[in-house]
Amino acid sequence: MNLLEFQSIFNELRNILSRQGLTGNELIYAYFFIGLIGVVLFLFITIFITRQVFIAAVKSAKTKSDWQKALFEFRVFRAFALIFGAYIIYNVVPYLFIDFKTALFYALIFAKIYIVLAVMFAVNAFLNALVSIMEASKKYADKPIRSYKQVAKIVFYIVGFVLILSIILGESPLYVFGGFGAVTAVLILVFRDPILGFVASVQMSAIDLVRVGDWITVEKYGADGEVTEINLTTIKVRNWDKTVTIVPSYAIVSESFKNWRAMEESEGRRIKRHINIKISSIKFCDEELINRLKSIDFLKDYLRETQEQIERFNAENTVNPNNLVNGRHMTNIGTFRVYAEKYLETNPYINTDMTFMVRQLQATENGLPIEIYVFSKEKGLKKFEEVAADIFDHLLATVPYFDLEIFQSPSGSDMRQFINRT
């Protein structure tokens, strides 16, 4: 409906009341209250019909999709119908309050504010629906969409607030925006976290630092688990103990953290653990030990070939056989390391195409570390720990067969046994 139609409707209402013999204040108040009731009824009917038209148009689609569900869930149709209602109110107010000049001034202010609020409400509903649709899409599932939504809402709310303030003050919106220059520092202080969060979100999205579903570890905040939500100022992490940690978005960009996504996308997960061997138990292999180790399937070929090489080398170099320090000889620690390698090579859960080694580390006061550095094909936490535990269960049980000992700090019972023996 246009302005002329509204004008003709209200003129006809006044004429009808005049023909009924109403004059003066009777005519004024009858005109106002009847017009008000008529406008309210017309408004509700119009909003209802408008919303039903939108709904019918969407329902007429042959296939049901996520965007249809989102539009209904966030009541987008009702929100946009309110804009049409606000338009009617703004055009009706001058005719409804024509006899009340003071009230007309405030009614027009209210009508303008209502239009701004209706538009803000509609945009808010639309943004919520849009984000819901994008999050349901695999293409955007790992993007910080909520951060961008919150930034858009903040900007739009600021614009709405300025428009409402300009309506109340009767000034241009540019004048109100100009007045904000004096409080810029305060606004920056108030919106410090959103500003830092927005910048961090842009950086995270640009260089793909963090996605929803990633496993991250942020030691400073005690976070170690799956990212479930990325907002403008915070990242929500569900830890493996089912607790929830909130990490500031800017902390991901400005501080150190660990993202395990690359490991999950690779062909294996690293096992890097060591066994401390008691140094006093390390020795050359004598004939008795070699004969005993030949019964181990993984070592029999290695022992035969290595022994032949050593005997040939010692013979060629006329080594004095009376002292094992002379020439070349096998050691129990070296033989154990070879056994560990061959055992791991046959383990079906170890990816031998990735970095694979059993090595000695620097000896310490806690003994000589023999480190296992391999990659497990199982990357899930439970299965990975089972594979690692099975490997070290076996190796720890195997150590005594090589006349080696695991280093262990003496306990109270060890000290008591020592005292009793002395």
Side-chain angles (χ1 to χ4, degrees), residues 3 41 47 57 60 72 103 107 116 123 125 137 149 187 204 208 243 262 299 318 324 360 380 404:
L3 294 177
L41 291 175
I47 292 175
S60 64
F72 283 106
V116 174
V123 171
S137 170
K149 179 191 76 172
L187 289 175
M204 285 190 293
D208 199 19
T243 59
L299 290 177
T318 62
L324 291 177
Q360 288 186 17
L404 293 168

Side-chain angles (χ1 to χ4, degrees), residues 44-311:
F44 278 107
I45 294 171
T46 302
I47 292 175
F48 175 78
I49 293 174
T50 304
R51 185 173 62 179
Q52 295 304 314
V53 169
F54 282 134
I55 292 174
V58 174
K59 284 185 175 180
S60 64
K62 295 181 180 179
T63 59
K64 303 300 179 184
S65 58
D66 292 331
W67 67 270
Q68 291 171 300
K69 296 176 183 176
L71 292 177
F72 283 106
E73 180 181 355
F74 294 98
R75 302 180 179 180
V76 176
F77 306 114
R78 184 182 69 174
F80 278 92
L82 290 177
I83 295 178
F84 189 67
Y87 168 79
I88 293 174
I89 290 176
Y90 178 74
N91 286 283
V92 163
V93 162
Y95 304 107
L96 189 61
F97 290 87
I98 193 171
D99 298 310
F100 305 94
K101 301 301 181 183
T102 303
L104 175 61
F105 174 77
Y106 293 106
L108 284 172
I109 292 177
F110 168 79
K112 292 176 182 178
I113 292 174
Y114 179 63
I115 290 175
V116 174
L117 292 175
V119 172
M120 291 177 64
F121 181 71
V123 171
N124 181 71
F126 177 75
L127 285 175
N128 289 335
L130 180 63
V131 169
S132 177
I133 295 167
M134 295 179 73
E135 287 181 337
S137 170
K138 293 182 179 179
K139 183 178 179 181
Y140 301 101
D142 56 356
K143 304 298 181 191
I145 303 299
R146 288 179 180 267
S147 298
Y148 300 136
K149 179 191 76 172
Q150 290 172 334
V151 171
K153 283 187 176 183
I154 289 174
V155 172
F156 199 75
Y157 289 158
I158 291 174
V159 172
F161 172 75
V162 170
L163 290 175
I164 290 173
L165 197 59
S166 66
I167 291 170
I168 295 174
L169 298 176
E171 300 287 350
S172 168
L174 296 178
Y175 173 83
V176 178
F177 270 118
F180 280 167
V183 293
T184 301
V186 177
L187 289 175
I188 292 175
L189 181 63
V190 171
F191 293 103
R192 173 181 175 273
D193 286 345
I195 292 171
L196 290 175
F198 173 65
V199 174
S201 296
V202 172
Q203 289 179 295
M204 285 190 293
S205 178
I207 58 180
D208 199 19
L209 276 179
V210 178
R211 305 174 188 168
V212 173
D214 282 356
W215 168 17
I216 67 171
T217 301
V218 190
E219 293 182 358
K220 180 178 178 180
Y221 296 92
D224 184 18
E226 181 184 359
V227 175
T228 58
E229 190 174 303
I230 300 177
N231 292 318
L232 176 60
T233 57
T234 60
I235 294 176
K236 184 183 291 186
V237 180
R238 184 174 63 240
N239 301 312
W240 301 124
D241 60 359
K242 301 306 179 184
T243 59
V244 174
T245 300
I246 304 299
V247 180
S249 297
Y250 57 82
I252 296 297
V253 177
S254 61
E255 299 174 11
S256 175
F257 81 104
K258 184 182 291 185
N259 191 331
W260 297 84
R261 187 203 315 154
M263 178 275 295
E264 294 175 336
E265 292 175 349
S266 70
E267 298 300 320
R269 181 174 177 180
R270 188 184 68 177
I271 299 174
K272 184 177 179 291
R273 303 179 187 179
H274 62 265
I275 298 172
N276 285 328
I277 301 297
K278 189 174 181 181
I279 294 178
S280 61
S281 68
I282 299 174
K283 65 178 184 178
F284 289 111
C285 293
D286 54 24
E287 196 71 26
E288 179 189 353
L289 179 58
I290 292 175
N291 291 332
R292 186 161 19 107
L293 293 178
K294 283 182 178 179
S295 63
I296 300 176
D297 291 339
F298 289 146
L299 290 177
K300 58 185 180 181
D301 292 336
Y302 164 78
L303 291 172
R304 186 186 68 254
E305 294 172 3
T306 305
Q307 196 169 22
E308 290 174 357
Q309 292 174 7
I310 289 174
E311 290 175 354

Side-chain angles (χ1 to χ4, degrees), residues 310-378:
I310 289 174
E311 290 175 354
R312 189 183 310 113
F313 175 87
N314 291 339
E316 291 174 355
N317 292 275
T318 62
V319 172
N320 181 4
N322 294 327
N323 194 324
L324 291 177
V325 175
N326 297 322
R328 288 179 57 189
H329 297 281
M330 285 183 284
T331 60
N332 58 348
I333 188 69
T335 307
F336 172 73
R337 182 167 50 81
V338 171
Y339 171 80
E341 288 181 352
K342 294 187 177 297
Y343 168 72
L344 290 169
E345 286 174 354
T346 61
N347 190 316
Y349 297 107
I350 299 301
N351 189 339
T352 56
D353 294 330
M354 302 183 73
T355 304
F356 180 98
M357 56 182 173
V358 179
R359 61 178 179 173
Q360 288 186 17
L361 301 181
Q362 175 64 45
T364 68
E365 66 276 10
N366 294 322
L368 178 66
I370 299 297
E371 185 180 73
I372 307 300
Y373 195 110
V374 296
F375 283 81
S376 166
K377 294 178 181 178
E378 296 289 347

